Amino acid sequence: MKFLQRIAAAFLLAFACTPAMAQEHWVASWGAGQAKLAGEAIPAEGITYRNIVHMSLGGKSARLVLSNRFGDKPLTIGAVSIARSAADGAVTNYRGVTFSGKADTVIAPGATIYSDPVAFDVPTLGDVTVSVFLPAQTVTLYTGHALAHVTNYSAAGNLTATAAMPGATRQKDWRVLVGLDVMAPAKSAAIVTFGDSITDGAGTTNNANHRWMNHLAERLQANPKYRHLAVVNAGIGGNRILHDGGQPDARGGQHAAGIERWSYDALERSGVKYIILLEGVNDLGRSSILREGKGGPRQAKSPEEPVTADDLIKAMTRMIDQAHAKGIKVIGATMTPYKGANYARPDGLEARQKINAFIRTGGKFDGYVDFDKAVHDPADPESYLKAYNDKDHLHPNDAGTKAMADSIDLSIFK
């Protein structure tokens, strides 16, 4: 009889806990587009990399996403911690992070891993520091994000449990860390902003978190109706929809074409419900030139470089279909103007208008945001308003990214 009573009590306890457990799930609160970065020979004392990341959605429990996607050999991780960020690479309130109960782990070539959950107060719209200690080894290729537009740090030795980082070297990249998830209520979801340098943050003030996706996250958190939504950046400088770009030792690293990285940088993010797609300007620009050389723009010679508006529309349609197959909505963002940029040509500007017409009226996207309208000069629609771009005619400044975010009708996130 007592045995049956114990069985009944266990059943009732499990039944009572199930709804509470079902009310929460993992949601990506921060992420970065993944690129292939040049490696190094790590010395005997090892190196600690401190990645400083700006969160969108807060929570009481976190898990880290570490990657060796582009590595050609196992990557040994000696220790990892998560902490609140302080000045000059220092941290407070750090907590050790484990992997299957152990402080160290090895990431196989091509693999991405999740840490064990760690009790940590993740701040909404606040900075978190993730310290990754790599012991002595030869790393041929890192997986990371080359241009973080924030200052990160590295120093010799295992400093994962140390508040200060004396003698640290400043870093431009995020290394090994590619995502940070929070445990969030059932209705919570992630918005992934997918694109190139305009989404990545080029043209904005470093260390200020003034990307258009940051401004969007602030708007969402200011409105109680939308506070359950996170915003994750999957922009990569120089990225194109149809062609790979860069080299591991280049300023922006080496990155796969947007249509190829769409799966791991967007569709596979934890809790993703919406993707905002803003990409294509580099495809059009690079159809005319490969790069700005000493003697001026160098014309493309490879038959694989030129693309048309129809090529990009076909690729966008394929990306939308892939997202829809996973129940994810895709919101199109009209391409911003670029007249005056070093790769602007009349045929590219004309193609931009055709693509924007498809985004607005083609019927494939689940909605659209009109970034073109938000930032162009009404007197010259192929150009930015000077207040929104005062340098290169391509990348919006802080005021421009805010205008882009402010133009989004939040009701699109139904």
Side-chain angles (χ1 to χ4, degrees), residues 54-391:
H54 191 68
M55 310 307 296
S56 58
L57 186 68
K60 299 296 183 183
S61 181
R63 70 175 182 181
L64 309 182
V65 189
L66 306 185
S67 185
N68 192 25
R69 179 178 298 278
F70 303 119
D72 57 1
K73 59 182 64 176
L75 179 67
T76 300
I77 307 294
V80 177
S81 66
I82 184 172
R84 294 294 297 268
S85 303
D88 299 323
V91 298
T92 63
N93 302 326
Y94 49 84
R95 300 283 186 277
V97 178
T98 59
F99 303 85
S100 299
K102 297 174 60 179
D104 59 342
T105 190
V106 175
I107 310 176
T112 297
I113 65 171
Y114 293 86
S115 74
D116 299 331
V118 55
F120 182 79
D121 189 4
V122 177
T124 299
L125 302 178
D127 288 348
V128 165
T129 296
V130 175
S131 298
V132 179
F133 171 64
L134 302 178
Q137 60 192 295
T138 298
V139 180
T140 308
L141 294 167
Y142 280 112
T143 299
H145 188 89
L147 295 174
H149 300 289
V150 298
T151 303
N152 299 295
Y153 299 88
S154 66
N158 182 357
L159 303 179
T160 57
T162 302
M165 205 174 201
T169 299
R170 293 171 180 259
Q171 303 277 145
K172 293 182 178 180
D173 61 303
W174 288 307
R175 200 164 297 200
V176 183
L177 179 73
V178 298
L180 200 158
D181 299 346
V182 297
M183 184 61 71
K187 69 178 296 187
S188 299
I191 302 166
V192 174
T193 60
F194 191 95
D196 47 43
S197 55
I198 295 172
T199 297
D200 199 20
T204 63
T205 302
N206 279 352
N207 297 308
N209 296 305
H210 284 168
R211 309 167 190 86
W212 68 262
M213 54 78 54
N214 296 127
H215 293 304
L216 172 59
E218 291 165 2
R219 288 191 63 204
L220 294 168
Q221 289 303 316
N223 189 323
K225 188 175 179 180
Y226 300 103
R227 284 179 184 162
H228 60 287
L229 294 173
V231 186
V232 177
N233 195 341
I236 297 180
N239 199 229
R240 292 178 286 174
I241 290 178
L242 288 171
H243 293 96
D244 299 346
Q247 294 296 327
D249 59 352
R251 181 170 178 265
Q254 185 175 28
H255 37 87
I259 199 168
E260 299 301 326
R261 70 183 185 89
W262 182 247
S263 57
Y264 56 81
D265 272 342
L267 304 184
E268 296 172 11
R269 294 291 180 182
S270 301
V272 58
K273 186 176 180 180
Y274 308 95
I275 304 171
I276 302 177
L277 175 60
L278 173 62
E279 192 156 32
V281 66
N282 288 326
D283 292 83
L284 298 179
R286 298 297 178 185
S287 291
S288 299
I289 66 168
L290 290 177
R291 69 184 183 198
E292 187 77 5
K294 291 182 179 179
R298 188 178 75 186
Q299 296 299 313
K301 296 180 180 179
S302 168
E304 297 180 358
E305 292 289 337
V307 298
T308 66
D310 287 339
D311 292 332
L312 292 174
I313 289 170
K314 182 178 178 180
M316 289 179 180
T317 299
R318 176 181 159 190
M319 295 162 80
I320 294 167
D321 289 342
Q322 290 175 349
H324 285 173
K326 292 180 174 291
I328 300 167
K329 295 182 178 181
V330 184
I331 298 164
T334 53
M335 293 169 58
T336 49
Y338 68 105
K339 178 182 174 181
N342 64 10
Y343 60 18
R345 297 292 182 274
D347 58 340
L349 301 180
E350 182 179 345
R352 183 183 78 94
Q353 294 294 352
K354 184 174 182 178
I355 294 166
N356 281 352
F358 166 73
I359 292 170
R360 293 182 180 112
T361 64
K364 283 297 296 184
F365 286 98
D366 298 289
Y368 74 92
V369 294
D370 207 338
F371 287 164
D372 174 37
K373 182 179 179 181
V375 299
H376 76 221
D377 184 345
D380 184 7
E382 293 293 349
S383 301
Y384 274 95
L385 272 173
K386 189 173 182 179
Y388 295 153
N389 178 292
D390 51 7
K391 293 181 180 178

Side-chain angles (χ1 to χ4, degrees), residues 11-34:
F11 175 80
L12 290 172
L13 179 61
F15 181 80
C17 290
T18 300
M21 294 172 64
Q23 289 174 3
E24 294 188 326
H25 67 142
W26 289 109
V27 174
S29 179
W30 174 87
Q34 299 173 58

